[in-house]
């Protein structure tokens, strides 16, 4: 059966390395077979998909083979793609990793290069191995090379996830800089970005959009997410925007690609161990795409659904009779109002786990309001998108929140929502919400500004709708759609 969100058979999607050329987006990705339980990114190679619309994906197979057990590239990890005008070849720089290659008892990382006349046939350059200097930068974090041509400096730049030597474990991360004139010989330069904030900053990327430059990187220490920084210059200074992340913790290691007019985010929605809501997040998951839009006034970036992805669910379903929970429903000219003195909900029957929901919600008076998904009639089980403009917070909650303990109170009442899904809710008079649900994947877009991606394993079918705590909320639009 056709799937909107791509995952290879018997394997999982790791970091994506996007590239655009001549109307086609190339999505290289780390192919993780998960050969042993609770071990990730072992025997990893580069595989490739191609797409023009982010709905129809063409799998091309393995693009870069890994080395043998005695080679530095026993595992092939994240990197970047660049086309050299001089030799007409595509040059791919990627992270090589072999746990048996050690220095002072710690495993090192290095950079290798693959080349080819086309993107589907790339061969590793056997005599190219680029390692850290061990003086300015540690040897143990030397990965995710992002290579680009710098017009101003008239040479190639390589940005890497690295760490400054002789720093503490938690704040030593930096984005290293190396330079080259020929893509072969590289010099070590001062760090490109050194905020002294993180363990390391993975998957760095630099791009220009309009009048602004953007530095993108992912972290797993203070917050598990992909960040961005803004500047009017390619070399900074870099400003932290008010909302500096693209998505939730579930959608990690986001990188981008552009056709010169539109820019898209490529990431992966992590799976959870044991295929249960109560399991820990894993490394690797399922491919995910968003469109990035820019506020030209201040340069801040926003996320919206790709129109072609929304059009995938084109068949509108006739709604079945609604169910009310502890509320009064009042018909209005532009929708229905849901009123309750405590907790109330307006719910519509929902079948299956693959669909799209389009809602327009206008909060009039509330302590809290939000969206219920895959809930039962009594709101005892299911998922709740908790929306609170007063605190500018939106996050997923679920019941039950975990396995019931021995005592009645052991139900995780001290964890009021899934903190790793929390986003900053935009201020607005009404909220236009797109929910895309396919099997255990759920992606929510709000007002073409923010997105919340997550997994939902435990609950299916049931009901969907809106809820309110002490107040009244108007539901202006509610549409359920399925794919043809």
């Amino acid at each position: 059966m056709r799937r909107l969100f791509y995952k290879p058979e018997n394997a999982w999607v790791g970091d994506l390395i996007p590239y655009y050329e001549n109307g086609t987006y190339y999505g290289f990705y780390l192919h993780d077979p998960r050969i042993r339980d609770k071990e990730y990114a072992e025997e990893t190679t580069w595989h490739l998909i191609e797409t023009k619309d982010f709905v129809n994906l063409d799998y091309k197979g393995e693009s870069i083979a890994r080395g043998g057990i005695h080679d530095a590239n026993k595992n092939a990890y994240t990197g970047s793609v660049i086309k050299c005008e001089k030799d007409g070849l595509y040059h791919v720089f990627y992270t090589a990793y072999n746990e048996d290659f050690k220095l002072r008892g710690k495993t090192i990382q290095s950079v290798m290069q693959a080349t080819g006349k086309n993107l589907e046939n790339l061969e590793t350059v056997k005599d190219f191995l680029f390692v850290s200097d061990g003086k300015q930068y540690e040897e143990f974090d030397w990965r995710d090379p992002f290579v680009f041509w710098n017009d101003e400096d008239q040479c190639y730049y390589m940005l890497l996830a690295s760490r400054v030597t002789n720093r503490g474990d938690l704040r030593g991360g930096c984005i290293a800089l190396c330079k080259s004139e020929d893509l072969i010989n590289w010099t070590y330069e001062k760090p490109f970005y050194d905020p002294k904030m993180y363990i390391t900053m993975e998957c760095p990327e630099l791009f220009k959009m309009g009048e602004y430059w953007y530095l993108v990187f992912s972290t797993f220490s203070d917050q598990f997410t992909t960040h961005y920084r803004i500047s009017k210059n390619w070399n900074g200074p870099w400003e932290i925007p008010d909302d500096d992340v693209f998505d939730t913790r579930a959608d990690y290691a986001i990188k981008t690609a552009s056709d010169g007019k539109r820019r898209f985010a490529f990431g992966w929605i992590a799976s959870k161990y044991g295929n249960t809501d109560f399991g820990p997040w894993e490394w690797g998951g399922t491919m995910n795409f968003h469109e990035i839009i820019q506020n030209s006034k201040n340069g801040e970036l926003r996320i919206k659904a790709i129109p072609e992805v929304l059009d995938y669910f084109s068949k509108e379903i006739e709604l079945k009779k609604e169910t009310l929970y502890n509320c009064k429903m009042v018909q209005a000219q532009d929708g229905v109002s849901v009123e309750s003195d405590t907790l109330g909900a307006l719910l519509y029957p929902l079948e299956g786990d693959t669909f799209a929901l389009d809602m327009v919600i206008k909060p009039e008076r509330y302590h809290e309001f939000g969206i219920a998904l895959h809930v039962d009639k009594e709101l005892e089980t299911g998922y709740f998108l908790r929306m609170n403009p007063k605190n500018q917070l939106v996050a997923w909650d679920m019941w039950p929140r975990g396995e019931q303990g021995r005592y009645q109170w052991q139900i995780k009442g001290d964890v009021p929502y899934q903190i790793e899904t929390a986003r900053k809710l935009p201020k607005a008079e009404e909220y236009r919400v797109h929910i895309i649900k396919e099997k255990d994947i759920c992606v929510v877009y709000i007002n073409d500004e923010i997105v919340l991606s997550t997994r939902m394993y435990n609950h299916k079918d049931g009901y969907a709708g809106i809820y309110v705590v002490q107040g009244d909320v108007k539901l202006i639009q509610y549409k359920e759609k399925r794919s043809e």
Side-chain angles (χ1 to χ4, degrees), residues 207-214 231-232 258 260-261 263 294-296 299 301:
F207 65 84
K208 188 179 184 184
M209 193 172 180
E211 299 299 317
Y212 294 89
W213 286 88
Y214 299 91
S231 179
K232 284 292 187 74
S258 173
K261 297 179 180 179
R263 185 167 289 274
Q294 180 194 60
N295 182 333
S296 59
L301 301 179

Side-chain angles (χ1 to χ4, degrees), residues 277-450:
D277 291 334
F278 307 147
W281 294 102
E282 298 181 291
W283 187 90
T286 307
M287 210 170 283
N288 193 26
F289 309 108
H290 310 303
E291 185 165 357
I292 299 174
I293 56 177
Q294 180 194 60
N295 182 333
S296 59
K297 294 181 179 179
N298 60 16
E300 293 186 356
L301 301 179
R302 297 292 179 258
I303 296 292
K304 74 171 189 175
I306 299 171
E308 293 86 345
V309 173
L310 291 180
D311 291 343
Y312 176 80
F313 297 95
S314 58
K315 183 180 179 181
E316 188 172 344
I317 303 300
E318 183 178 351
L319 298 179
K320 297 180 180 179
K321 183 173 175 53
E322 72 278 353
T323 293
L324 301 180
Y325 174 81
N326 192 38
C327 71
K328 180 173 65 173
M329 184 177 73
V330 179
Q331 292 290 335
Q333 187 175 357
D334 56 349
V336 295
S337 286
V338 180
E339 302 176 2
S340 180
D341 292 331
T342 52
L343 169 63
L346 165 62
L347 306 171
Y348 294 94
L350 191 63
E351 294 182 2
D353 55 13
T354 300
F355 51 81
L357 297 176
D358 295 339
M359 301 186 197
V360 179
I361 305 168
K362 185 175 183 179
E364 304 281 2
R365 178 178 60 88
Y366 58 88
H367 177 74
E368 181 187 315
F369 70 95
I371 294 172
L373 186 63
H374 292 310
V375 298
D376 64 354
K377 288 183 178 181
E378 304 300 322
L379 303 186
E380 292 282 323
T381 61
Y383 306 99
F384 301 87
L385 186 66
R386 303 181 65 172
M387 305 172 71
N388 194 330
K390 296 175 183 177
N391 297 331
Q392 287 190 270
L393 175 71
V394 57
W396 279 108
D397 192 6
M398 63 181 177
W399 281 104
R401 289 173 176 159
E403 299 288 353
Q404 172 70 55
R406 176 182 176 184
Y407 300 101
Q408 184 186 37
W409 50 267
Q410 291 179 322
I411 56 173
K412 294 194 173 181
D414 52 348
V415 184
Y417 53 83
Q418 294 175 295
I419 189 170
E420 69 272 28
T421 69
R423 294 297 315 275
K424 187 175 182 179
L425 182 65
K427 294 180 179 179
E429 290 187 1
E430 62 182 38
Y431 293 94
R432 293 170 286 107
V433 181
H434 299 294
I435 298 177
I436 297 174
K437 183 75 174 20
E438 185 176 66
K439 302 299 183 181
D440 51 40
I441 291 175
C442 183
V443 182
V444 180
Y445 298 92
I446 301 176
N447 282 8
D448 289 344
E449 292 191 54
I450 66 167

